[in-house]
Amino acid sequence: MCSAGIDCLRDGQGTLMGPAIDIGPVEAVGATSPQEPAWVGRPGLSVTEQPTQPGCWRWSQPPGGECCVRLRGGAPPLATGWKSTIRSRVGNAEKQPVALGDIQETLLIPLLARAVETERNNGLVDDRRAVEIVAQIDYDFDRWRGHPSLPGACLRTRIFDDIASAFLREHPEGTIVEIGCGLNTRFERIDNGRATWIELDLPDSIALRRRFFDDAPRRTMVVGSVLDEPWLDVVEDAPAPSLLLAEAVLIYLQPEAVRATVTRMAERFGGSQFVTDICGEKMTSKETARKAMRQLGINAWFEWTCNDARDIQTWHPGIELVTSGTMPALGGKFRPLLPFSWRAMMRLTPWLVRRLTEGYEIAHFRFGKAPSGPKQ
């Protein structure tokens, strides 16, 4: 084990971007030689060549930039395990307390889901940052470990990731807006090095988030409610078009609040896209809410009922439904990455899968420019 620091960070034209940055303890994982290290702790960097300086590797960092990582104390040991690296890095760190509202507390469930999937070989996501954060938070995560909802939460995240990645391929310099960002790490997972990211959440969620993440030239945290107006101005000033992601957020709000929010977005962000999950009446029933809150030990559940995503198109003439489907339908290509129990259930009892996921969908919309005058 050794420490490494970024001694130089330059863009594609060789311009110095900033001072040296300490990335903390790292170790090589899955490397076959000292010339091909794969570092824990610096997502998005990959080795391109070994320069002439002893103990210094050149790493690619989109778009076309590079940084020189100098190893202090020689090359680290190879393939000794990223989990032990994380444990050693956070083992002596002070645990971060959690003080969140009832709805905001639910952000910890997908965080744990991503950490659990990362610890599983060939899981739905590789999110070692989530593993680190779980290890640093003073919270009883054990009550959720093994819960059947965790793979579902992770599959939902992977579907949102897939939609966002497709948007970035089409609009590499557009803007991703994370509504109710919580402790999401989508930027770390799929950022292309060119897009702008806006991460919106309530004051208590952002206060917790700032203990683990910092603003950057292309990444800004915004304190506020999705029901308020100011964040809309921030998005309007960002590079267009935007992709607005509301993963497990709007479903906790009252129907009239959801309608007003989506309508405002459609009015102001013509040409942009919007993705949210929706719940049918089966998912929002009082019986389902009581059972789910008891099993998960939480005090909030879904409030907004939407039985058909096409109904949202009637809220504003500029709203167009691109696609909507259940997670098994939209996430079919990720089936080989699901836990064995889920794969077996999908193969042997597909009717049961349909029943369990019925009424919960992910809907993708496009905002067009609304015609003048009232909708007929």
Side-chain angles (χ1 to χ4, degrees), residues 26-260:
V26 295
E27 70 175 320
V29 175
T32 57
S33 72
Q35 287 74 35
E36 297 177 349
W39 297 106
V40 171
R42 193 67 182 175
L45 300 186
S46 57
V47 67
T48 55
E49 63 177 296
Q50 183 181 10
T52 57
Q53 303 97 308
C56 185
W57 283 265
R58 185 167 297 163
W59 300 71
S60 65
Q61 183 174 22
E66 64 183 34
C67 59
C68 180
V69 179
R70 186 179 62 203
L71 307 183
R72 295 191 291 271
L78 298 177
T80 56
W82 63 268
K83 293 182 185 179
S84 62
T85 302
I86 291 176
R87 283 194 296 269
S88 64
R89 183 182 305 164
V90 305
N92 297 324
E94 182 179 354
K95 291 276 190 176
Q96 298 295 321
V98 173
L100 297 171
D102 290 342
I103 294 177
Q104 296 90 296
E105 187 179 6
T106 62
L107 68 85
L108 299 172
I109 298 175
L111 172 70
L112 176 65
R114 298 194 310 275
V116 169
E117 280 297 296
T118 302
E119 293 172 340
R120 187 172 65 84
N121 291 333
N122 196 33
L124 283 161
V125 297
D126 183 3
D127 192 345
R128 297 174 189 181
R129 191 75 182 96
V131 177
E132 290 184 356
I133 295 173
V134 167
Q136 290 177 280
I137 287 181
D138 186 11
Y139 191 83
D140 180 19
F141 286 102
D142 288 341
R143 63 185 177 135
W144 293 332
R145 290 187 185 274
H147 195 278
S149 67
L150 295 187
C154 221
L155 178 58
R156 178 189 64 207
T157 291
R158 186 64 187 265
I159 294 170
F160 271 74
D161 282 358
D162 199 47
I163 295 172
S165 294
F167 174 85
L168 291 178
R169 287 192 294 271
E170 186 177 358
H171 307 286
E173 296 183 350
T175 297
I176 302 287
V177 183
E178 295 273 12
I179 299 173
C181 58
L183 291 173
N184 205 340
T185 55
R186 188 166 283 117
F187 177 91
E188 282 74 15
R189 294 194 301 274
I190 69 168
D191 176 58
N192 64 353
R194 300 165 63 185
T196 296
W197 293 72
I198 296 172
E199 298 166 334
L200 170 72
D201 216 327
L202 295 170
D204 53 353
S205 297
I206 291 294
L208 179 61
R209 183 175 182 83
R210 287 193 182 279
R211 299 177 196 171
F212 304 101
F213 302 95
D214 295 314
D215 287 336
R218 295 185 298 103
R219 185 183 196 182
T220 304
M221 283 178 269
V222 176
V223 178
S225 168
V226 67
L227 306 179
D228 297 335
E229 295 278 351
W231 73 273
L232 299 171
D233 297 331
V234 177
V235 176
E236 204 164 51
D237 290 340
S242 296
L243 173 66
L244 301 109
L245 302 174
E247 181 182 354
V249 177
L250 298 185
I251 52 179
Y252 287 97
L253 305 181
Q254 295 297 320
E256 59 274 14
V258 176
R259 179 165 183 159

